[in-house]
Amino acid sequence: MAYTKTIHILILTLFCYYSSPSLSANPTYNVQSFGAKPDGKSDCTKAFLSAWGAACAATTPATIYVPRGRFLLGSNVYLSGKLCKNTAITIRIDGTLVAPSDYNALGRTEHWVQFERVTGVSIYGGTLDGQGAALWACKNSGKNCPKGTTSLAFYNSNNILVSGLTSLNSQMFHVLVDGCHNAKLINLQISAPGNSPNTDGIHVQQSTGVTIMNSHVGTGDDCVSIGPGSSNLWIENLACGPGHGISIGSLGWDMQEAGVQNVTVKTATFSGTENGVRVKTWARPSNGFVRDVLFQHVVMLNVQNPIIIDQNYCPDHHNCPNQSSGVKISDVTYQDIHGTSATAIAVKFDCSKTHPCTGITLDGVKLTYGNKQATASCANAGGSAAGVVQPTSCL
Ligand SMILES: *[C@@H]1O[C@H](CO)[C@@H](O)[C@H](O)[C@H]1NC(C)=O
Ligand SMILES: *[C@@H]1O[C@H](CO)[C@@H](O)[C@H](O)[C@H]1NC(C)=O
């Protein structure tokens, strides 16, 4: 018995030995070997930063591994590419990363897990638990609270992949992509209660070549929000709800603002959301723009504003001067959009008086409002309708 065991170990050792060149060529750094404890109580921030440092120092593709269990990350986890030589880092997560439940622990830092100036980072699997409930309660009580942290942020980074990640109950935005080029967010599950403030699912801005696919987002704010400077954005197979829908904007706050261009939303379902597909701009002077947008194959289920362009965006109708938006919206196509509206006005184009919307196309739109008539409303909107369009187009 002991003998066969020894032989076994010998064979295993030999096997490992002979296969080790490829292993050491692609090293794996388990956060536990840097001191992380999966007990949900010990702060693992330093261990994660050390694992990141080790992967960055490796000259070949490297993997950071987070095993099963709950890993408390008690402060801003700042993963910088500045001193990182490695452009192929995989982070494989089987466990859950847990934010401190006391929002004061993260203080006034804007982000919890933050990547900056990284290239070639791929994250597979894992759960982020933002533990936002206490902060939402503070905000909802009208007290003076911190703004809160984004759970996962990518800044000025290239060639990013996030696949199979679950993000729960972020204090603020769940995922932020800002100043990035080529980012793929695939198979994400993002959720927070419908009444949690500012918990946008995915916010994209100043970025090109971002793809969001096969994901479910249900939060208290926009499922996906698209800020200035977003171009070549592709969203496919998205289930949204609860939440405020997909929103291009708010845009046009600043006079000098990068435009939004070439956005495709293909195959999406909105369930019980405040908006379906929305473009919103402040009524202020701005040189921003929105052009070349396609919303295609969209199902609306009991959505308050299924199709909406709002160029007089003014939340709570408070302190907005009576101006006109400078953001020029053009070439926006709505193709094969059907389902149910929760309000009578299923299609609303409220465009800028000084910069009217042009090239709006409705092609195969069928939205109903219970057994009553749904209507469309247009102001300063030009374009055309094709195929069955119900409610009747006002373009
Ligand atoms: C628009 O964006 C898509 C990716 O979303 C890209 O494949 C396509 O080439 C872009 N089109 C133009 C004209 O840049
Ligand atoms: C805003 O200005 C328009 C004319 O430019 C006017 O018709 C409208 O009543 C004004 N609204 C408010 C709230 O002052």
Side-chain angles (χ1 to χ4, degrees):
M1 188 62 193
Y3 180 73
T4 42
K5 214 171 184 177
T6 313
I7 295 275
H8 237 101
I9 288 166
L10 194 66
I11 290 169
L12 267 174
T13 312
L14 282 172
F15 178 79
C16 289
Y17 179 77
Y18 283 112
S19 56
S20 65
S22 67
L23 280 179
S24 61
N26 291 307
T28 293
Y29 302 99
N30 185 327
V31 292
Q32 277 188 275
S33 51
F34 292 86
K37 290 196 177 61
D39 59 10
K41 286 190 283 234
S42 316
D43 190 350
C44 304
T45 309
K46 281 207 180 105
F48 275 62
L49 293 177
S50 301
W52 173 256
C56 280
T59 49
T60 56
T63 298
I64 295 169
Y65 179 58
V66 181
R68 283 172 178 279
R70 289 173 71 77
F71 295 88
L72 176 68
L73 296 172
S75 46
N76 171 247
V77 184
Y78 181 65
L79 305 170
S80 168
K82 207 170 158 200
L83 300 173
C84 194
K85 294 197 275 286
N86 205 331
T87 55
I89 296 180
T90 296
I91 304 177
R92 201 152 64 75
I93 311 174
D94 285 334
T96 299
L97 314 187
V98 186
S101 56
D102 174 6
Y103 51 80
N104 288 313
L106 288 170
R108 306 262 155 183
T109 173
E110 278 181 55
H111 310 292
W112 177 38
V113 179
Q114 175 182 4
F115 291 88
E116 188 150 344
R117 293 188 192 283
V118 300
T119 298
V121 168
S122 303
I123 301 176
Y124 292 93
T127 299
L128 300 183
D129 184 350
Q131 304 230 75
L135 181 66
W136 312 330
C138 176
K139 286 184 173 177
N140 284 336
S141 73
K143 275 188 259 172
N144 184 20
C145 320
K147 198 170 161 223
T149 55
T150 292
S151 281
L152 176 62
F154 294 95
Y155 274 103
N156 299 331
S157 295
N158 300 324
N159 307 340
I160 301 303
L161 170 67
V162 181
S163 173
L165 180 85
T166 299
S167 180
L168 306 173
N169 300 331
S170 184
Q171 288 188 355
M172 252 242 313
F173 296 178
H174 285 78
V175 179
L176 170 69
V177 177
D178 187 352
C180 295
H181 178 68
N182 187 21
K184 291 190 169 55
L185 310 176
I186 298 171
N187 293 324
L188 303 197
Q189 304 293 324
I190 297 178
S191 85
N195 62 354
S196 55
N198 314 119
T199 52
D200 297 52
I202 301 168
H203 181 76
V204 178
Q205 64 178 25
Q206 306 293 355
S207 295
T208 66
V210 176
T211 300
I212 299 167
M213 279 183 74
N214 305 345
S215 295
H216 179 264
V217 181
T219 69
D221 209 305
D222 296 331
C223 288
V224 179
S225 57
I226 299 156
S230 303
S231 64
N232 300 0
L233 171 61
W234 188 276
I235 300 172
E236 184 170 354
N237 254 324
L238 180 80
C240 167
H244 296 180
I246 292 180
S247 186
I248 297 177
S250 334
L251 300 176
W253 180 263
D254 293 320
M255 180 60 218
Q256 298 294 326
E257 189 179 272
V260 172
Q261 190 161 3
N262 187 16
V263 175
T264 303
V265 175
K266 183 176 170 169
T267 314
T269 303
F270 296 86
S271 310
T273 49
E274 195 177 284
N275 306 285
V277 289
R278 168 165 66 160
V279 182
K280 63 173 172 175
T281 74
W282 299 92
R284 292 160 63 98
S286 173
N287 69 348
F289 61 84
V290 177
R291 60 172 82 115
D292 302 328
V293 178
L294 172 63
F295 298 110
Q296 190 184 49
H297 311 316
V298 176
V299 177
M300 305 285 179
L301 302 171
N302 200 36
V303 172
Q304 288 175 44
N305 305 294
I307 292 177
I308 179 165
I309 294 178
D310 177 6
Q311 292 212 260
N312 288 296
Y313 178 63
C314 184
D316 309 323
H317 306 283
H318 194 62
N319 282 341
C320 297
N322 190 8
Q323 291 173 324
S324 169
S325 173
V327 176
K328 170 74 184 169
I329 298 175
S330 60
D331 299 312
V332 181
T333 298
Y334 303 84
Q335 193 173 55
D336 182 25
I337 317 274
H338 59 93
T340 54
S341 174
T343 66
I345 303 176
V347 177
K348 182 173 181 178
F349 299 126
D350 182 8
C351 294
S352 165
K353 198 166 40 172
T354 51
H355 297 73
C357 298
T358 55
I360 307 290
T361 303
L362 295 167
D363 177 6
V365 172
K366 190 163 186 249
L367 293 163
T368 57
Y369 171 49
N371 44 22
K372 285 169 246 146
Q373 193 78 33
T375 59
S377 141
C378 289
N380 313 307
S384 60
V388 174
V389 173
Q390 188 190 324
T392 308
S393 168
C394 54
L395 291 168

